[in-house]
Amino acid sequence: SYSTWWNGGLRTTQYFHNIIGLLTETIGSPTPMEIPFIPRRQLPHSDLPFPIEPQKWHFRQSVEYSMTANLAVLDLASRYREQLLTNIYRMGRNSIERGSRDHWTLDAARLERVKEAYLIDNPDAGSADSARIPRKFFDEVLRDPGTRDPRGYVLTSAQADFNTAGKFVNTLIENGVEVLRARESFALGEATYPAGSFVVKTDQAFRPHVLDMFEPQHHPDDIPYPGGPPTAPYDSAGWTLAYQMGVEFDRILDGFDGPFEPVTEVVRPGPGSLELGEAVYGYLLNRRVNDAFTAVNRLLAAEESVYWLEGGPGSVAPGALLVVRKSGTEERLRDLAGGLGLDFTAVAEPPAERAWRMRPVRVGLWDRYGGSMPSGWTRWLLEQFEFPFEVIYPPRLDEGGLRERFDVLVFPDGAIPGPGGEDERSRRFRRRFQARPEELPEELRKNLGRVTAEKTVPRLREFLEQGGVVLTIGDSTALAYHLGLPVSNPLERRTPEGEVEPLGRESYYVPGSVLQVRVDPSQPLAHGMSERVDVYFNNSPVFRLDPEALREGVRPVAWFDRPDPLRSGWAWGESALEHAVAVLEAPVGTGRLVLYGPEVLFRGQPHGTFKLFFNGILLAGVEEEPLVRP
């Protein structure tokens, strides 16, 4: 199961940097454990050359085992150092050479296009799998000039969220990639790019990593036998970081140069601007920049008057932020402009817009004893953008009275069981990581437990009906079914016996990949976003609205509007997603439930979908309030 496809681990990332990567795992934990007697495990084989006798196993033995493996690697490297170092040099040299001329990277998808072109010309051939195909198809398809690898990429400084482009560039720099910056404006073909734009050329030693961050991955259809279910990859099938982060870039196919200089250290936002004047009512801030949310959190903490504007055609952009001027406002905005690189535009009159006054939001983030990786990543992300929050465990949820303490409750993937109850994955986690109460100090016992339909869901319904907001991600969107919302699963089929069952993996399967959705930017939940957005999707939930859904106030925010949404990775039977809703919100009592089917926060990577989540939080603290004229 440990395929080398995924480029996200410490082992596989090395392959894209001309280095040998090794994966080792050693059993053991600080608590002594028993090695059981399993007769078949006493026979040597390729994965177990030296069987171990049943015994009590201590953590010290695990540490010594790992040290032995490390010493073996160092010994091997010292014996073959010249050959290893020469090979590293040769691989780097080859990458530089490939990036300096026309080159085509071959993958399974391109070979399929050869077969398709051949069968169009030879419809009676039946199959092209073992045919001897004429050379012209090699030249016309595999050597099509328009499909050659880029010589480089340009990230224009004119894009809406150039700050996030800088964060993307930092991931390249920290991975040893050479990045250039334009000292002045320059032209390539018919395009002109302003000064400050980033340039990443491919004639460098870590070219494979560069391509991996900009180009889509094309995972082959790994089907063990005709009609069988796809073989699951070890981890992600597609991860193109530029797509996930919503970065705008141009692929340059021909060799080029310009007024470029190396970027020698990590990028920090350039100084923003603050328009000053005597007759200033307030300052507008563009919501399309993710760092604007950090600014809002700082301003709310400082008790500044911040408004969320509805916006629309012919006026300010939907969701524009307004900071009403008062004593000390300019000083705070000057700090934000300098530290975060944000631009504040002065207005002399209150905009003629529908406005919501923003207030600090009390956020509760679900977690469980033993830990949840999605919750941990969510915690990290909230900290990066300075959202105040409190971690909350299932026993506290079960107590009720949640509205008195929280405005928003966040449930990442893996928090809420499906309509059929706890799944096997959750049960395995509890058996492995959840201690018995008597094994824990008194102060930790209160964190044990799990979310249940019987005890927790009624408390969540109560919270919603009293005006609270619940944000659910991934399979935690199952809360919609527990609450009886008018939605259903479009990825189901009816059997000949009349039973409803999920689509089988042989007909629909999308492991971790990047797909594209259509977004309605006029919805407050999507303010600041484009009409098309790339999302990280891992067999994620999607929804069909029942006939009465719109009448009951359910609003689709993002959906699949085409049969081929795959951008990077692998999507088997992806046409089943057409017309399915990916993100929606629904009223429950005086509160709101938001369903994010895709993993909009996946491992802190998809900056392009952070706004959907941040907007969901801040909407819990708004109330309509007309702007007061001075």
Side-chain angles (χ1 to χ4, degrees):
S1 63
Y2 294 99
S3 67
T4 57
W5 176 262
W6 178 54
N7 180 25
L10 290 176
R11 173 200 56 162
T12 39
T13 301
Q14 312 312 311
Y15 304 160
F16 291 76
H17 291 74
N18 310 323
I19 303 170
I20 294 172
L22 299 176
L23 170 65
T24 63
E25 292 186 344
T26 305
I27 197 170
S29 68
T31 304
M33 59 189 295
E34 293 289 337
I35 303 293
F37 174 44
I38 302 175
R40 62 182 176 82
R41 294 275 185 162
Q42 296 302 305
L43 287 175
H45 58 84
S46 59
D47 289 336
L48 188 66
F50 299 105
I52 186 171
E53 297 178 2
Q55 59 181 281
K56 183 180 289 293
W57 187 265
H58 297 270
F59 194 50
R60 179 188 180 92
Q61 292 170 276
S62 297
V63 173
E64 291 173 343
Y65 206 95
S66 293
M67 290 177 65
T68 301
N70 291 336
L71 290 170
V73 169
L74 293 173
D75 177 64
L76 181 74
S78 67
R79 291 171 186 267
Y80 295 96
R81 61 188 180 278
E82 292 184 0
Q83 181 176 346
L84 293 172
L85 292 171
T86 299
N87 286 341
I88 290 171
Y89 160 75
R90 288 173 62 89
M91 286 187 283
R93 187 188 64 182
N94 290 344
S95 289
I96 293 171
E97 191 267 336
R98 287 171 181 168
S100 303
R101 60 173 174 81
D102 287 346
H103 185 272
W104 289 259
T105 297
L106 187 62
D107 57 46
R110 299 187 68 185
L111 290 178
E112 287 300 317
R113 288 196 287 273
V114 171
K115 297 177 186 178
E116 291 168 5
Y118 172 72
L119 291 176
I120 290 174
D121 278 12
N122 301 272
D124 298 329
S127 172
D129 288 335
S130 57
R132 294 190 175 187
I133 297 178
R135 167 73 192 226
K136 76 165 190 169
F137 292 97
F138 179 93
D139 297 331
E140 294 176 0
V141 180
L142 293 189
R143 290 297 179 266
D144 176 0
T147 64
R148 65 192 188 276
D149 296 338
R151 298 284 189 91
Y153 305 88
V154 178
L155 294 80
T156 176
S157 59
Q159 58 188 284
D161 189 358
F162 191 54
N163 282 13
T164 294
K167 295 175 184 179
F168 169 73
V169 163
N170 283 340
T171 68
L172 301 179
I173 293 171
E174 291 168 353
N175 278 277
V177 171
E178 298 172 2
V179 178
L180 306 173
R181 180 161 32 201
R183 295 187 302 272
E184 56 192 64
S185 64
F186 65 99
L188 290 177
E190 298 180 358
T192 300
Y193 302 96
S197 298
F198 294 115
V199 174
V200 183
K201 291 191 173 185
T202 57
D203 57 347
Q204 55 180 292
F206 298 158
R207 176 177 178 272
H209 189 80
V210 173
L211 297 179
D212 213 43
M213 296 294 98
F214 282 98
E215 298 292 313
Q217 285 77 51
H218 300 287
H219 194 287
D221 291 332
D222 190 0
I223 312 294
Y225 54 88
T231 300
Y234 169 65
D235 201 276
S236 298
W239 52 83
T240 309
L241 191 62
Y243 292 176
Q244 289 193 68
M245 294 185 70
V247 172
E248 298 176 22
F249 65 91
D250 288 336
R251 303 167 76 249
I252 310 300
L253 298 184
D254 296 314
F256 66 100
D257 210 339
F260 309 141
E261 61 186 8
V263 179
T264 57
E265 56 186 19
V266 295
V267 173
R268 288 175 174 77
S273 62
L274 173 65
E275 296 181 359
L276 298 175
E278 291 298 324
V280 173
Y281 173 76
Y283 298 90
L284 292 174
L285 175 61
N286 188 346
R287 192 189 208 85
R288 295 196 68 181
V289 183
N290 279 350
D291 287 337
F293 292 94
T294 303
V296 167
N297 286 325
R298 292 182 187 176
L299 292 168
L300 293 177
E303 299 183 350
E304 291 282 352
S305 298
V306 186
Y307 287 82
W308 181 322
L309 304 181
E310 183 177 40
S315 63
V316 299
L321 300 162
L322 173 69
V323 186
V324 177
R325 181 188 184 190
K326 61 181 183 180
S327 177
T329 297
E330 272 94 354
E331 183 178 351
R332 292 192 178 95
L333 298 188
R334 189 178 292 108
D335 290 341
L336 293 172
L340 296 177
L342 300 174
D343 296 325
F344 294 90
T345 305
V347 291
E349 297 285 337
E353 302 288 334
R354 186 181 180 189
W356 294 277
R357 177 72 178 266
M358 302 180 72
R359 304 192 188 280
V361 180
R362 302 170 299 169
V363 180
L365 171 62
W366 166 90
D367 206 337
R368 62 186 172 198
Y369 183 83
S372 156
M373 284 189 280
S375 181
W377 278 113
T378 306
R379 184 187 307 194
W380 177 84
L381 186 64
L382 292 172
E383 291 169 349
Q384 301 309 301
F385 287 88
E386 301 183 23
F387 283 89
F389 68 96
E390 178 182 338
V391 175
I392 183 169
Y393 291 88
R396 174 65 185 89
L397 294 170
D398 293 344
E399 290 175 7
L402 299 169
R403 191 67 184 93
E404 300 170 5
R405 188 163 182 175
F406 300 104
D407 302 305
V408 179
L409 294 176
V410 178
F411 293 91
D413 185 70
I416 295 177
E422 186 182 26
D423 60 17
E424 180 57 31
R425 181 183 65 171
S426 298
R427 280 193 289 270
R428 285 199 306 268
F429 177 90
R430 283 198 301 112
R431 287 195 297 266
R432 185 173 181 183
F433 296 110
Q434 290 243 327
R436 293 186 294 272
E438 61 271 18
E439 297 175 338
L440 294 177
E442 182 66 32
E443 63 269 20
L444 295 180
R445 294 178 189 176
K446 65 180 184 297
N447 297 335
L448 290 175
R450 59 188 178 90
V451 171
T452 64
E454 298 75 24
K455 295 183 66 176
T456 318
V457 169
R459 301 286 78 80
L460 299 182
R461 183 189 294 274
E462 180 182 78
F463 174 76
L464 285 159
E465 290 175 344
Q466 293 173 355
V469 174
V470 174
L471 309 180
T472 58
I473 303 173
D475 59 18
S476 289
T477 57
L479 182 60
Y481 300 113
H482 291 297
L483 297 177
L485 262 62
V487 297
S488 56
N489 182 3
L491 302 177
E492 292 180 333
R493 62 186 174 193
R494 191 170 294 277
T495 66
E497 295 76 24
E499 299 291 331
V500 175
E501 65 179 15
L503 290 178
R505 208 160 88 176
E506 70 282 353
S507 57
Y508 168 80
Y509 181 64
V510 186
S513 297
V514 181
L515 309 186
Q516 192 170 86
V517 295
R518 176 74 179 272
V519 176
D520 180 1
S522 69
Q523 298 280 358
L525 195 68
H527 276 173
M529 302 193 70
S530 303
E531 289 189 354
R532 292 199 174 275
V533 174
D534 293 329
V535 298
Y536 187 83
F537 194 91
N538 185 13
N539 291 310
S540 303
V542 290
F543 308 93
R544 178 192 296 118
L545 302 189
D546 295 345
E548 67 274 20
L550 295 178
R551 293 195 302 271
E552 295 183 13
V554 178
R555 294 198 297 269
V557 178
W559 60 94
F560 294 98
D561 66 339
R562 50 191 294 180
D564 55 346
L566 179 65
R567 288 272 280 160
S568 179
W570 187 20
W572 181 252
E574 61 180 314
S575 61
L577 291 170
E578 188 174 16
H579 309 307
V581 176
V583 178
L584 62 85
E585 58 178 339
V588 180
T590 58
R592 289 182 301 107
L593 173 63
V594 181
L595 311 180
Y596 305 100
E599 298 187 27
V600 294
L601 310 180
F602 183 70
R603 297 175 183 167
Q605 295 174 14
H607 291 239
T609 51
F610 287 173
K611 291 186 190 71
L612 287 168
F613 179 67
F614 295 160
N615 286 339
I617 292 176
L618 293 178
L619 277 171
V622 303
E623 54 187 45
E624 190 165 356
E625 180 180 304
L627 292 168
V628 179
R629 292 186 172 272

